[in-house]
Amino acid sequence: MAQEIVVTGARIAMQEELGDLKLYRFPDRVTVAAKAQKQVAFLARQGVAMRAVYVSDVFDADASAPRLILRARNTTTGGLGAPLPAGQVEVFQEMGGRRLLIGSTRTDDKAVGEDIEYRLDAGPGVSVEIADRPARRHAGGHLLTVTNANPWPIEFEARLGTNGDDQHLRFRQPLRRRNDRYVWATTVPANGLATFDYEMLGSD
């Protein structure tokens, strides 16, 4: 999948600093007629490094529908390295020589060095199910299955919690934490599936 962010306009604004403010000076005079609109680009980058990851939130034995998240880091080596203002983001995909809109979202102000995430609807190609299974040691055994119907492999993450209390979760493999949530990350093969086994201790 080749996603890109499209910015329209032929003139590129030059960034200037005024204390903590970011100013963008346009190199040519810009005039707007009455009841008219004009777009002027302030940033254009080619080859920005982004990762496409499908993410579901898992609480107890419930999982949210997967969302497609495009991730990047606002650095020069990653193809950006400029303060990015909050606003609307539209994501397009090249198909048959045409740009097709695949989703839109909003983003906050992002300073240089910060992580960027664009959250989009995932579509029907990726699904998540959770089934109960007999517990081996504790009550509340579950098996999470993520299915990928796309003809290409995908990255998938399940962000696990128990409605604010994750001390009762037990996993059969070490998991990393991100933003105070356990994260199970895997690559799901094309037209394939992956499973994750976890248990919950009783709270009493």
Side-chain angles (χ1 to χ4, degrees):
M1 299 178 67
Q3 292 92 358
E4 62 178 306
I5 301 168
V6 175
V7 181
T8 60
R11 301 175 182 137
I12 305 298
M14 304 298 293
Q15 178 185 318
E16 299 179 2
E17 306 285 342
L18 181 60
D20 293 334
L21 298 177
K22 308 295 182 184
L23 304 180
Y24 297 91
R25 185 186 300 274
F26 298 112
D28 301 310
R29 182 180 296 275
V30 177
T31 59
V32 181
K35 299 182 179 180
Q37 295 182 355
K38 182 175 292 186
Q39 289 184 319
V40 184
F42 81 96
L43 177 69
R45 293 286 192 274
Q46 297 289 332
V48 177
M50 304 197 79
R51 292 174 55 220
V53 183
Y54 291 82
V55 177
S56 286
D57 290 306
V58 177
F59 293 98
D60 298 340
D62 296 316
S64 66
R67 294 186 66 84
L68 174 61
I69 297 182
L70 303 182
R71 289 178 178 160
R73 189 161 182 82
N74 190 5
T75 61
T76 302
T77 55
L80 286 172
L84 302 178
Q88 188 75 14
V89 176
E90 294 181 342
V91 180
F92 294 79
Q93 181 176 355
E94 290 278 356
M95 297 185 65
R98 299 174 55 193
R99 284 195 179 106
L100 299 180
L101 178 67
I102 64 171
S104 61
T105 184
R106 293 192 60 83
T107 182
D108 297 329
D109 292 319
K110 294 296 180 180
V112 174
E114 284 193 291
D115 292 327
I116 302 168
E117 289 193 346
Y118 300 136
R119 301 171 180 267
L120 307 169
D121 292 332
V126 180
S127 60
V128 175
E129 293 183 354
I130 297 179
D132 294 336
R133 62 148 178 77
R136 296 180 178 87
R137 295 179 56 194
H138 309 291
H142 303 294
L143 187 67
L144 183 153
T145 301
V146 53
T147 303
N148 176 26
N150 295 305
W152 55 78
I154 64 164
E155 292 186 56
F156 176 82
E157 290 182 358
R159 301 188 300 193
L160 296 112
T162 56
N163 294 321
D165 184 4
D166 59 15
Q167 295 181 0
H168 303 297
L169 285 172
R170 291 295 182 270
F171 312 113
R172 295 175 59 82
Q173 63 192 74
L175 297 183
R176 59 189 175 89
R177 292 180 70 95
R178 175 188 292 161
N179 298 327
D180 294 327
R181 299 282 297 278
Y182 285 106
V183 176
W184 173 61
T186 189
T187 298
V188 187
N191 299 307
L193 56 84
T195 59
F196 175 67
D197 189 326
Y198 65 101
E199 294 184 354
M200 286 188 58
L201 289 168
S203 59
D204 52 351

